[in-house]
Amino acid sequence: MLKDHYENVRIERDGGLTWVILNRPEKRNALSPALHYEMAEIIDELEVDPETQVMVLTGAGDSFSAGFDLREYFRNLEGKPIEKARAKRAAHHWTWERLYYFPKPTIAMVNGHCFGGAFQVLVACDLAIAADEAAFGLSEINWGVYPGGMVTKAVAEAVSYRDAMYIILTGRPFDGREAARMRLVNFSVPRAQLREETVSLANELMSKLPVALSAAKEAYKAVKHMDFHQAFEYMTAKTIATSALDVDKGRTKALGQFLDDKSYRPGLQGFRVED
Ligand code: ACO
């Protein structure tokens, strides 16, 4: 069960859209062990929460997240291997394993600073919208290390070889427009429009059949690293499973609307389960 209150995260619900807000604005929402433990719990709950159809991850104040907490995650856990292993496991659990495979659509709303370890949260989300004014950067190289954890893997997943090498090796900061150019986010908008654009995208997703959305993202993320034969076998089985889970018989209704009633053009309109 979700708790009413978390120290480091705020949860807001709005008709199927669940906002998960990293909430340490005074520390630029740096990802501390305490935040990782709370998020590990929250994401497990939201995964099975019937009220959550789309999850938006963002940060309180002017930051998305300044990355892993340099004091609490790194310095304070030096020489404490057990605590470090626990914190690392919680971090990996929510920032990658559960978030990348979250069964419902996820959107990262990058409102401001997004550095280092925050990239793995960003890339693990299915979609991302940034403020033009947001500041991104892989600052690791500037303090003498390389982007560890899942950061380098996340960057390799999301952007081209040239862009990846450039941002990894230089550590130069860049803005939301540049993040959109390199496809690290889907698009960027002026900060004043960020929330409105995010809500509009979330509403569009919520108008579609949930079982189809889950299958669509799960299939993409599963087949990406399979060979052709495995992908064909997987998708054949997935199609049967999806059809069995589609209790609304959405596809049958849509076929009737298009072929018989001629009331619907799926190429041009969204899904209409209510008809
Ligand atoms: N870890 C811990 N604390 C942080 C972090 C962080 N990653 N980022 C910011 N903070 C803290 C600062 O220490 C400061 O705390 P204090 O008020 O107790 O001194 C507070 O947040 C505000 O930081 P400022 O630097 O004063 O804020 P400003 O808005 O000027 O700059 C910026 C924000 C650009 C994010 C800057 O704080 C920064 O460069 N942070 C480090 C970013 C970074 O290198 N992240 C990668 C971490 S490594 C990894 O994720 C794997």
mmCIF file of all heavy atoms in Angstrom, residues 214-254:
data_model
loop_
_atom_site.group_PDB
_atom_site.id
_atom_site.type_symbol
_atom_site.label_atom_id
_atom_site.label_comp_id
_atom_site.label_asym_id
_atom_site.label_seq_id
_atom_site.Cartn_x
_atom_site.Cartn_y
_atom_site.Cartn_z
ATOM 1 N N SER A 214 0.428 -1.722 -22.764
ATOM 2 C CA SER A 214 1.401 -2.574 -22.057
ATOM 3 C C SER A 214 2.119 -3.483 -23.026
ATOM 4 O O SER A 214 3.344 -3.603 -23.010
ATOM 5 C CB SER A 214 0.701 -3.477 -21.040
ATOM 6 O OG SER A 214 0.346 -2.760 -19.943
ATOM 7 N N ALA A 215 1.320 -4.144 -23.877
ATOM 8 C CA ALA A 215 1.918 -5.093 -24.828
ATOM 9 C C ALA A 215 2.883 -4.371 -25.756
ATOM 10 O O ALA A 215 3.966 -4.874 -26.069
ATOM 11 C CB ALA A 215 0.817 -5.778 -25.632
ATOM 12 N N ALA A 216 2.502 -3.170 -26.191
ATOM 13 C CA ALA A 216 3.324 -2.425 -27.157
ATOM 14 C C ALA A 216 4.696 -2.110 -26.578
ATOM 15 O O ALA A 216 5.728 -2.318 -27.225
ATOM 16 C CB ALA A 216 2.603 -1.143 -27.562
ATOM 17 N N LYS A 217 4.723 -1.632 -25.346
ATOM 18 C CA LYS A 217 6.039 -1.269 -24.786
ATOM 19 C C LYS A 217 6.810 -2.507 -24.362
ATOM 20 O O LYS A 217 8.017 -2.587 -24.557
ATOM 21 C CB LYS A 217 5.919 -0.229 -23.662
ATOM 22 C CG LYS A 217 5.191 -0.655 -22.417
ATOM 23 C CD LYS A 217 5.246 0.433 -21.339
ATOM 24 C CE LYS A 217 6.596 0.450 -20.629
ATOM 25 N NZ LYS A 217 6.578 1.371 -19.471
ATOM 26 N N GLU A 218 6.120 -3.501 -23.800
ATOM 27 C CA GLU A 218 6.824 -4.723 -23.391
ATOM 28 C C GLU A 218 7.443 -5.418 -24.605
ATOM 29 O O GLU A 218 8.586 -5.866 -24.551
ATOM 30 C CB GLU A 218 5.863 -5.682 -22.680
ATOM 31 C CG GLU A 218 5.538 -5.261 -21.259
ATOM 32 C CD GLU A 218 4.335 -5.996 -20.669
ATOM 33 O OE1 GLU A 218 3.821 -6.944 -21.306
ATOM 34 O OE2 GLU A 218 3.911 -5.601 -19.573
ATOM 35 N N ALA A 219 6.680 -5.477 -25.684
ATOM 36 C CA ALA A 219 7.186 -6.166 -26.879
ATOM 37 C C ALA A 219 8.404 -5.434 -27.436
ATOM 38 O O ALA A 219 9.422 -6.057 -27.755
ATOM 39 C CB ALA A 219 6.090 -6.260 -27.933
ATOM 40 N N TYR A 220 8.318 -4.114 -27.540
ATOM 41 C CA TYR A 220 9.456 -3.361 -28.080
ATOM 42 C C TYR A 220 10.711 -3.619 -27.245
ATOM 43 O O TYR A 220 11.784 -3.928 -27.769
ATOM 44 C CB TYR A 220 9.139 -1.856 -28.099
ATOM 45 C CG TYR A 220 10.347 -1.046 -28.504
ATOM 46 C CD1 TYR A 220 10.680 -0.912 -29.848
ATOM 47 C CD2 TYR A 220 11.188 -0.477 -27.553
ATOM 48 C CE1 TYR A 220 11.819 -0.207 -30.232
ATOM 49 C CE2 TYR A 220 12.318 0.215 -27.927
ATOM 50 C CZ TYR A 220 12.631 0.358 -29.256
ATOM 51 O OH TYR A 220 13.758 1.035 -29.636
ATOM 52 N N LYS A 221 10.544 -3.512 -25.919
ATOM 53 C CA LYS A 221 11.729 -3.630 -25.053
ATOM 54 C C LYS A 221 12.245 -5.062 -25.015
ATOM 55 O O LYS A 221 13.438 -5.284 -24.814
ATOM 56 C CB LYS A 221 11.407 -3.075 -23.665
ATOM 57 C CG LYS A 221 11.189 -1.563 -23.745
ATOM 58 C CD LYS A 221 10.907 -0.857 -22.436
ATOM 59 C CE LYS A 221 10.652 0.621 -22.709
ATOM 60 N NZ LYS A 221 10.625 1.489 -21.542
ATOM 61 N N ALA A 222 11.362 -6.039 -25.232
ATOM 62 C CA ALA A 222 11.813 -7.440 -25.227
ATOM 63 C C ALA A 222 12.485 -7.817 -26.550
ATOM 64 O O ALA A 222 13.533 -8.458 -26.557
ATOM 65 C CB ALA A 222 10.627 -8.363 -24.946
ATOM 66 N N VAL A 223 11.898 -7.419 -27.684
ATOM 67 C CA VAL A 223 12.433 -7.926 -28.969
ATOM 68 C C VAL A 223 13.671 -7.177 -29.438
ATOM 69 O O VAL A 223 14.418 -7.683 -30.283
ATOM 70 C CB VAL A 223 11.381 -7.904 -30.115
ATOM 71 C CG1 VAL A 223 10.171 -8.743 -29.742
ATOM 72 C CG2 VAL A 223 10.975 -6.499 -30.509
ATOM 73 N N LYS A 224 13.902 -5.999 -28.873
ATOM 74 C CA LYS A 224 15.032 -5.182 -29.319
ATOM 75 C C LYS A 224 16.345 -5.966 -29.328
ATOM 76 O O LYS A 224 17.176 -5.787 -30.208
ATOM 77 C CB LYS A 224 15.140 -3.965 -28.385
ATOM 78 C CG LYS A 224 16.009 -2.857 -28.897
ATOM 79 C CD LYS A 224 15.727 -1.637 -28.047
ATOM 80 C CE LYS A 224 16.796 -0.620 -28.048
ATOM 81 N NZ LYS A 224 17.230 0.040 -29.154
ATOM 82 N N HIS A 225 16.521 -6.848 -28.351
ATOM 83 C CA HIS A 225 17.795 -7.559 -28.252
ATOM 84 C C HIS A 225 17.676 -9.040 -28.627
ATOM 85 O O HIS A 225 18.559 -9.829 -28.353
ATOM 86 C CB HIS A 225 18.370 -7.399 -26.841
ATOM 87 C CG HIS A 225 18.540 -5.952 -26.467
ATOM 88 N ND1 HIS A 225 19.487 -5.144 -27.054
ATOM 89 C CD2 HIS A 225 17.845 -5.147 -25.633
ATOM 90 C CE1 HIS A 225 19.381 -3.914 -26.570
ATOM 91 N NE2 HIS A 225 18.387 -3.885 -25.707
ATOM 92 N N MET A 226 16.546 -9.405 -29.271
ATOM 93 C CA MET A 226 16.382 -10.813 -29.704
ATOM 94 C C MET A 226 16.794 -10.951 -31.157
ATOM 95 O O MET A 226 16.784 -9.969 -31.913
ATOM 96 C CB MET A 226 14.906 -11.223 -29.617
ATOM 97 C CG MET A 226 14.377 -11.403 -28.225
ATOM 98 S SD MET A 226 12.640 -11.928 -28.330
ATOM 99 C CE MET A 226 12.159 -11.743 -26.623
ATOM 100 N N ASP A 227 17.085 -12.198 -31.574
ATOM 101 C CA ASP A 227 17.291 -12.402 -33.013
ATOM 102 C C ASP A 227 15.909 -12.532 -33.678
ATOM 103 O O ASP A 227 14.874 -12.576 -32.998
ATOM 104 C CB ASP A 227 18.223 -13.588 -33.288
ATOM 105 C CG ASP A 227 17.630 -14.932 -32.888
ATOM 106 O OD1 ASP A 227 16.396 -15.065 -32.903
ATOM 107 O OD2 ASP A 227 18.407 -15.847 -32.565
ATOM 108 N N PHE A 228 15.883 -12.604 -35.000
ATOM 109 C CA PHE A 228 14.604 -12.567 -35.714
ATOM 110 C C PHE A 228 13.707 -13.753 -35.355
ATOM 111 O O PHE A 228 12.505 -13.597 -35.177
ATOM 112 C CB PHE A 228 14.842 -12.503 -37.224
ATOM 113 C CG PHE A 228 15.346 -11.156 -37.649
ATOM 114 C CD1 PHE A 228 16.693 -10.958 -37.930
ATOM 115 C CD2 PHE A 228 14.492 -10.071 -37.722
ATOM 116 C CE1 PHE A 228 17.171 -9.708 -38.291
ATOM 117 C CE2 PHE A 228 14.964 -8.809 -38.080
ATOM 118 C CZ PHE A 228 16.302 -8.631 -38.366
ATOM 119 N N HIS A 229 14.305 -14.922 -35.261
ATOM 120 C CA HIS A 229 13.505 -16.103 -34.964
ATOM 121 C C HIS A 229 12.874 -15.981 -33.573
ATOM 122 O O HIS A 229 11.670 -16.201 -33.402
ATOM 123 C CB HIS A 229 14.384 -17.364 -35.058
ATOM 124 C CG HIS A 229 13.639 -18.603 -34.705
ATOM 125 N ND1 HIS A 229 12.637 -19.114 -35.502
ATOM 126 C CD2 HIS A 229 13.711 -19.410 -33.618
ATOM 127 C CE1 HIS A 229 12.125 -20.194 -34.920
ATOM 128 N NE2 HIS A 229 12.766 -20.394 -33.780
ATOM 129 N N GLN A 230 13.691 -15.615 -32.587
ATOM 130 C CA GLN A 230 13.163 -15.464 -31.218
ATOM 131 C C GLN A 230 12.071 -14.400 -31.186
ATOM 132 O O GLN A 230 11.045 -14.558 -30.527
ATOM 133 C CB GLN A 230 14.289 -15.041 -30.268
ATOM 134 C CG GLN A 230 15.283 -16.137 -29.964
ATOM 135 C CD GLN A 230 16.510 -15.586 -29.254
ATOM 136 O OE1 GLN A 230 16.889 -14.426 -29.438
ATOM 137 N NE2 GLN A 230 17.150 -16.422 -28.457
ATOM 138 N N ALA A 231 12.300 -13.295 -31.911
ATOM 139 C CA ALA A 231 11.321 -12.200 -31.907
ATOM 140 C C ALA A 231 9.996 -12.665 -32.496
ATOM 141 O O ALA A 231 8.923 -12.354 -31.968
ATOM 142 C CB ALA A 231 11.863 -11.010 -32.693
ATOM 143 N N PHE A 232 10.062 -13.439 -33.577
ATOM 144 C CA PHE A 232 8.828 -13.912 -34.214
ATOM 145 C C PHE A 232 8.061 -14.835 -33.261
ATOM 146 O O PHE A 232 6.843 -14.699 -33.085
ATOM 147 C CB PHE A 232 9.161 -14.632 -35.529
ATOM 148 C CG PHE A 232 7.936 -15.108 -36.245
ATOM 149 C CD1 PHE A 232 7.038 -14.202 -36.809
ATOM 150 C CD2 PHE A 232 7.652 -16.463 -36.343
ATOM 151 C CE1 PHE A 232 5.889 -14.646 -37.455
ATOM 152 C CE2 PHE A 232 6.505 -16.907 -36.997
ATOM 153 C CZ PHE A 232 5.626 -16.000 -37.548
ATOM 154 N N GLU A 233 8.796 -15.753 -32.624
ATOM 155 C CA GLU A 233 8.150 -16.681 -31.690
ATOM 156 C C GLU A 233 7.538 -15.903 -30.511
ATOM 157 O O GLU A 233 6.414 -16.143 -30.096
ATOM 158 C CB GLU A 233 9.173 -17.703 -31.157
ATOM 159 C CG GLU A 233 9.613 -18.720 -32.201
ATOM 160 C CD GLU A 233 8.457 -19.576 -32.684
ATOM 161 O OE1 GLU A 233 7.614 -19.975 -31.866
ATOM 162 O OE2 GLU A 233 8.375 -19.796 -33.913
ATOM 163 N N TYR A 234 8.314 -14.971 -29.968
ATOM 164 C CA TYR A 234 7.845 -14.172 -28.818
ATOM 165 C C TYR A 234 6.586 -13.409 -29.201
ATOM 166 O O TYR A 234 5.592 -13.392 -28.472
ATOM 167 C CB TYR A 234 8.950 -13.201 -28.386
ATOM 168 C CG TYR A 234 8.496 -12.146 -27.406
ATOM 169 C CD1 TYR A 234 8.574 -12.353 -26.036
ATOM 170 C CD2 TYR A 234 7.958 -10.929 -27.868
ATOM 171 C CE1 TYR A 234 8.142 -11.389 -25.137
ATOM 172 C CE2 TYR A 234 7.525 -9.965 -26.976
ATOM 173 C CZ TYR A 234 7.619 -10.193 -25.617
ATOM 174 O OH TYR A 234 7.180 -9.234 -24.739
ATOM 175 N N MET A 235 6.606 -12.769 -30.362
ATOM 176 C CA MET A 235 5.479 -11.907 -30.733
ATOM 177 C C MET A 235 4.243 -12.712 -31.071
ATOM 178 O O MET A 235 3.120 -12.259 -30.839
ATOM 179 C CB MET A 235 5.895 -10.957 -31.851
ATOM 180 C CG MET A 235 6.929 -9.972 -31.306
ATOM 181 S SD MET A 235 7.446 -8.732 -32.457
ATOM 182 C CE MET A 235 5.999 -7.720 -32.521
ATOM 183 N N THR A 236 4.431 -13.917 -31.605
ATOM 184 C CA THR A 236 3.271 -14.785 -31.846
ATOM 185 C C THR A 236 2.594 -15.096 -30.515
ATOM 186 O O THR A 236 1.369 -14.968 -30.369
ATOM 187 C CB THR A 236 3.734 -16.083 -32.549
ATOM 188 O OG1 THR A 236 4.374 -15.723 -33.767
ATOM 189 C CG2 THR A 236 2.559 -17.005 -32.833
ATOM 190 N N ALA A 237 3.394 -15.475 -29.519
ATOM 191 C CA ALA A 237 2.830 -15.800 -28.196
ATOM 192 C C ALA A 237 2.249 -14.549 -27.529
ATOM 193 O O ALA A 237 1.184 -14.592 -26.911
ATOM 194 C CB ALA A 237 3.921 -16.412 -27.317
ATOM 195 N N LYS A 238 2.923 -13.422 -27.693
ATOM 196 C CA LYS A 238 2.475 -12.175 -27.057
ATOM 197 C C LYS A 238 1.126 -11.723 -27.632
ATOM 198 O O LYS A 238 0.277 -11.188 -26.909
ATOM 199 C CB LYS A 238 3.545 -11.104 -27.292
ATOM 200 C CG LYS A 238 3.323 -9.803 -26.586
ATOM 201 C CD LYS A 238 3.689 -9.914 -25.131
ATOM 202 C CE LYS A 238 3.590 -8.598 -24.404
ATOM 203 N NZ LYS A 238 3.652 -8.815 -22.955
ATOM 204 N N THR A 239 0.961 -11.913 -28.928
ATOM 205 C CA THR A 239 -0.302 -11.517 -29.565
ATOM 206 C C THR A 239 -1.467 -12.326 -28.993
ATOM 207 O O THR A 239 -2.540 -11.781 -28.688
ATOM 208 C CB THR A 239 -0.209 -11.714 -31.094
ATOM 209 O OG1 THR A 239 0.888 -10.930 -31.559
ATOM 210 C CG2 THR A 239 -1.477 -11.277 -31.806
ATOM 211 N N ILE A 240 -1.235 -13.630 -28.802
ATOM 212 C CA ILE A 240 -2.298 -14.479 -28.238
ATOM 213 C C ILE A 240 -2.577 -14.049 -26.789
ATOM 214 O O ILE A 240 -3.730 -13.907 -26.377
ATOM 215 C CB ILE A 240 -1.877 -15.965 -28.304
ATOM 216 C CG1 ILE A 240 -1.764 -16.389 -29.765
ATOM 217 C CG2 ILE A 240 -2.870 -16.842 -27.552
ATOM 218 C CD1 ILE A 240 -1.054 -17.709 -29.985
ATOM 219 N N ALA A 241 -1.507 -13.789 -26.035
ATOM 220 C CA ALA A 241 -1.675 -13.378 -24.635
ATOM 221 C C ALA A 241 -2.425 -12.047 -24.549
ATOM 222 O O ALA A 241 -3.325 -11.871 -23.726
ATOM 223 C CB ALA A 241 -0.303 -13.262 -23.969
ATOM 224 N N THR A 242 -2.088 -11.128 -25.434
ATOM 225 C CA THR A 242 -2.716 -9.802 -25.401
ATOM 226 C C THR A 242 -4.201 -9.908 -25.731
ATOM 227 O O THR A 242 -5.053 -9.281 -25.101
ATOM 228 C CB THR A 242 -2.004 -8.865 -26.394
ATOM 229 O OG1 THR A 242 -0.620 -8.869 -26.090
ATOM 230 C CG2 THR A 242 -2.519 -7.446 -26.292
ATOM 231 N N SER A 243 -4.491 -10.746 -26.705
ATOM 232 C CA SER A 243 -5.887 -10.925 -27.096
ATOM 233 C C SER A 243 -6.684 -11.528 -25.934
ATOM 234 O O SER A 243 -7.812 -11.113 -25.650
ATOM 235 C CB SER A 243 -5.896 -11.815 -28.342
ATOM 236 O OG SER A 243 -7.166 -12.242 -28.599
ATOM 237 N N ALA A 244 -6.072 -12.481 -25.217
ATOM 238 C CA ALA A 244 -6.763 -13.100 -24.076
ATOM 239 C C ALA A 244 -7.003 -12.079 -22.962
ATOM 240 O O ALA A 244 -7.999 -12.141 -22.250
ATOM 241 C CB ALA A 244 -5.940 -14.274 -23.547
ATOM 242 N N LEU A 245 -6.091 -11.139 -22.822
ATOM 243 C CA LEU A 245 -6.214 -10.135 -21.749
ATOM 244 C C LEU A 245 -7.156 -8.985 -22.131
ATOM 245 O O LEU A 245 -7.562 -8.202 -21.282
ATOM 246 C CB LEU A 245 -4.829 -9.552 -21.420
ATOM 247 C CG LEU A 245 -3.848 -10.511 -20.729
ATOM 248 C CD1 LEU A 245 -2.449 -9.914 -20.718
ATOM 249 C CD2 LEU A 245 -4.310 -10.819 -19.307
ATOM 250 N N ASP A 246 -7.498 -8.885 -23.410
ATOM 251 C CA ASP A 246 -8.326 -7.764 -23.886
ATOM 252 C C ASP A 246 -9.805 -8.077 -23.629
ATOM 253 O O ASP A 246 -10.538 -8.461 -24.537
ATOM 254 C CB ASP A 246 -8.059 -7.532 -25.387
ATOM 255 C CG ASP A 246 -8.964 -6.459 -25.969
ATOM 256 O OD1 ASP A 246 -9.614 -5.742 -25.180
ATOM 257 O OD2 ASP A 246 -9.037 -6.368 -27.207
ATOM 258 N N VAL A 247 -10.211 -7.905 -22.369
ATOM 259 C CA VAL A 247 -11.588 -8.255 -22.011
ATOM 260 C C VAL A 247 -12.602 -7.319 -22.678
ATOM 261 O O VAL A 247 -13.754 -7.672 -22.847
ATOM 262 C CB VAL A 247 -11.789 -8.252 -20.473
ATOM 263 C CG1 VAL A 247 -11.094 -9.431 -19.835
ATOM 264 C CG2 VAL A 247 -11.330 -6.937 -19.868
ATOM 265 N N ASP A 248 -12.163 -6.130 -23.067
ATOM 266 C CA ASP A 248 -13.086 -5.182 -23.729
ATOM 267 C C ASP A 248 -13.284 -5.525 -25.208
ATOM 268 O O ASP A 248 -14.076 -4.900 -25.889
ATOM 269 C CB ASP A 248 -12.530 -3.758 -23.640
ATOM 270 C CG ASP A 248 -12.534 -3.254 -22.215
ATOM 271 O OD1 ASP A 248 -13.521 -3.548 -21.522
ATOM 272 O OD2 ASP A 248 -11.563 -2.599 -21.813
ATOM 273 N N LYS A 249 -12.505 -6.489 -25.710
ATOM 274 C CA LYS A 249 -12.553 -6.858 -27.135
ATOM 275 C C LYS A 249 -12.412 -5.616 -28.022
ATOM 276 O O LYS A 249 -13.180 -5.385 -28.961
ATOM 277 C CB LYS A 249 -13.860 -7.609 -27.461
ATOM 278 C CG LYS A 249 -13.990 -8.953 -26.740
ATOM 279 C CD LYS A 249 -13.006 -9.986 -27.282
ATOM 280 C CE LYS A 249 -12.811 -11.180 -26.370
ATOM 281 N NZ LYS A 249 -11.460 -11.453 -25.947
ATOM 282 N N GLY A 250 -11.465 -4.817 -27.687
ATOM 283 C CA GLY A 250 -11.255 -3.547 -28.377
ATOM 284 C C GLY A 250 -10.998 -3.725 -29.864
ATOM 285 O O GLY A 250 -11.544 -2.987 -30.690
ATOM 286 N N ARG A 251 -10.191 -4.705 -30.211
ATOM 287 C CA ARG A 251 -9.843 -4.874 -31.627
ATOM 288 C C ARG A 251 -11.081 -5.266 -32.443
ATOM 289 O O ARG A 251 -11.312 -4.744 -33.539
ATOM 290 C CB ARG A 251 -8.764 -5.953 -31.747
ATOM 291 C CG ARG A 251 -8.286 -6.174 -33.159
ATOM 292 C CD ARG A 251 -7.024 -7.017 -33.151
ATOM 293 N NE ARG A 251 -6.582 -7.355 -34.479
ATOM 294 C CZ ARG A 251 -6.950 -8.447 -35.114
ATOM 295 N NH1 ARG A 251 -7.778 -9.297 -34.542
ATOM 296 N NH2 ARG A 251 -6.494 -8.693 -36.327
ATOM 297 N N THR A 252 -11.907 -6.149 -31.882
ATOM 298 C CA THR A 252 -13.118 -6.571 -32.595
ATOM 299 C C THR A 252 -14.043 -5.370 -32.808
ATOM 300 O O THR A 252 -14.600 -5.172 -33.885
ATOM 301 C CB THR A 252 -13.855 -7.652 -31.766
ATOM 302 O OG1 THR A 252 -12.905 -8.668 -31.458
ATOM 303 C CG2 THR A 252 -15.018 -8.254 -32.520
ATOM 304 N N LYS A 253 -14.174 -4.538 -31.768
ATOM 305 C CA LYS A 253 -15.033 -3.344 -31.885
ATOM 306 C C LYS A 253 -14.485 -2.398 -32.949
ATOM 307 O O LYS A 253 -15.230 -1.881 -33.777
ATOM 308 C CB LYS A 253 -15.096 -2.609 -30.548
ATOM 309 C CG LYS A 253 -16.000 -3.280 -29.543
ATOM 310 C CD LYS A 253 -16.054 -2.452 -28.265
ATOM 311 C CE LYS A 253 -16.698 -3.253 -27.164
ATOM 312 N NZ LYS A 253 -16.462 -2.684 -25.848
ATOM 313 N N ALA A 254 -13.180 -2.200 -32.904
ATOM 314 C CA ALA A 254 -12.576 -1.270 -33.863
ATOM 315 C C ALA A 254 -12.744 -1.782 -35.288
ATOM 316 O O ALA A 254 -13.032 -1.011 -36.213
ATOM 317 C CB ALA A 254 -11.098 -1.064 -33.534
#
